[in-house]
Amino acid sequence: MSKFQQLYELLLADGVAQREQFYTPECPPPDLIELVHTPNYVQAYCQGTLEFQAQRRIGLPWSPALVRRTCVAVGGTILTAKLALTQGLACNTAGGTHHAFPNYGSGFCIFNDLAVASRVLQKLGLVHKILIVDLDVHQGDGTAVIFQGDESVFTFSMHCQANFPNAKQNSDLDVPLPIGMEDKAYLQTLGSYLPDLLSEIQPDLVLYDAGVDTHIDDKLGKLALTDTGIFLRDMQVLSTCVNAGYPVACVIGGGYADDLKSLVWRHSLLHRAASQIYQQLRL
Ligand SMILES: [Zn+2]
């Protein structure tokens, strides 16, 4: 998955962010990951002793390098969330592993960074109420289950109804979308939910999963957004939150294409939108 490295390089090359605006996360200690995941699962995954079936459900070949990347990505979302509180807006260049459940991983997701970051920030007393806005094309099923019955974290998932996972879970708010939905209808649908949600919940922090597998050319998505549609979506989410005074921490979420250059460009739309909004915020 060289897309993470390429995304970083593209953001620098295009001047979307300056070198000094990048922060390097660390591997969080296991007890932070265990705020969400069972110690048995965390240990088995990190030591490479997961059973074959459990490993297959994740869908990525195990290696020590992947363990490190997985943990650092979780650390990245924790750091992003902390930075969002002081800066108003911050973006990870990874993250969005929303199919990870407390005791198993699935769909390329091992540890649920959105959930771990939420629990860590709550534990540190930095936030109480969190809103998770999950616009990846797939339902945030792991996140939904982790926070079921937890009134301090509101889970909102807008996804294509015909996509993975087959068995959907109950988020606090699910908005299933029909196959082939295009930019205009998508942006209108989003606009009909997000402002009301924000004023109802009044979160201390918004975690935004900006998956680009909503793109028309995505291999695993069934919606039909264009690059422009994705950029407008990200602008809409960020400006709605920031203008109303809610800090936003963003993760890149899913995106699948053989043409890595186009895929990395799509992911960078989030940071391009964030850069514009951040400049407005500082004026
Ligand atoms: Zn996805």
Side-chain angles (χ1 to χ4, degrees):
M1 297 284 272
S2 63
K3 76 172 181 181
F4 302 104
Q5 176 75 24
Q6 289 190 35
L7 175 58
Y8 167 71
E9 282 162 5
L10 180 66
L11 295 175
L12 271 182
D14 285 359
V16 179
Q18 307 305 315
R19 207 169 280 276
E20 61 270 17
Q21 288 178 286
F22 284 92
Y23 295 73
T24 307
E26 289 172 0
C27 271
D31 60 308
L32 294 189
I33 296 174
E34 290 169 11
L35 291 171
V36 168
H37 297 284
T38 58
N40 280 348
Y41 171 54
V42 175
Q43 249 173 39
Y45 183 73
C46 290
Q47 293 169 2
T49 56
L50 267 191
E51 286 176 18
F52 174 74
Q53 288 293 344
Q55 193 60 56
R56 203 171 66 170
R57 189 162 190 177
I58 290 169
L60 295 169
W62 186 89
S63 69
L66 182 61
V67 172
R68 182 165 164 73
R69 191 192 89 194
T70 298
C71 294
V72 170
V74 172
T77 300
I78 296 170
L79 177 57
T80 304
K82 286 181 181 168
L83 285 167
L85 292 181
T86 56
Q87 304 293 315
L89 179 55
C91 299
N92 198 346
T93 51
T97 39
H98 58 171
H99 301 307
F101 288 73
N103 57 346
Y104 65 93
S106 80
F108 311 131
C109 299
I110 296 151
F111 300 142
N112 194 313
D113 60 318
L114 296 157
V116 172
S118 298
R119 290 257 200 264
V120 169
L121 265 73
Q122 285 181 327
K123 190 171 189 266
L124 291 172
L126 297 173
V127 297
H128 175 60
K129 190 104 197 177
I130 293 174
L131 168 63
I132 297 179
V133 175
D134 188 338
L135 300 187
D136 188 283
V137 83
H138 305 99
Q139 192 206 30
D141 55 347
T143 322
V145 163
I146 290 165
F147 293 116
Q148 221 145 52
D150 181 342
E151 298 216 330
S152 69
V153 180
F154 190 99
T155 53
F156 166 43
S157 177
M158 200 166 102
H159 49 265
C160 179
Q161 61 191 12
N163 264 124
F164 176 93
N166 274 336
K168 304 285 190 287
Q169 304 292 336
N170 294 317
S171 312
D172 292 308
L173 175 61
D174 284 301
V175 179
L177 306 173
I179 293 175
M181 186 181 255
E182 296 179 357
D183 293 347
K184 197 173 165 209
Y186 183 96
L187 296 173
Q188 273 174 358
T189 307
L190 178 60
S192 69
Y193 287 100
L194 188 59
D196 291 346
L197 263 185
L198 281 169
S199 45
E200 233 170 82
I201 295 160
Q202 305 198 343
D204 302 311
L205 174 68
V206 178
L207 292 181
Y208 173 38
D209 183 332
V212 297
D213 41 16
T214 47
H215 194 274
I216 187 164
D217 294 331
D218 192 89
K219 270 165 66 174
L220 300 183
K222 294 178 177 166
L223 296 184
L225 268 61
T226 63
D227 283 352
T228 306
I230 287 177
F231 179 74
L232 291 175
R233 174 194 72 171
D234 295 344
M235 286 294 283
Q236 190 174 327
V237 171
L238 299 180
S239 63
T240 305
C241 295
V242 166
N243 290 340
Y246 298 107
V248 199
C250 312
V251 299
I252 68 169
Y256 310 92
D258 292 327
D259 177 359
L260 205 55
K261 208 176 157 200
S262 304
L263 177 63
V264 169
W265 171 262
R266 271 172 229 158
H267 279 301
S268 79
L269 294 168
L270 169 68
H271 305 80
R272 291 172 203 276
S275 170
Q276 278 198 21
I277 302 283
Y278 187 68
Q279 279 167 25
Q280 288 168 19
L281 191 64
R282 296 176 80 195
L283 288 177

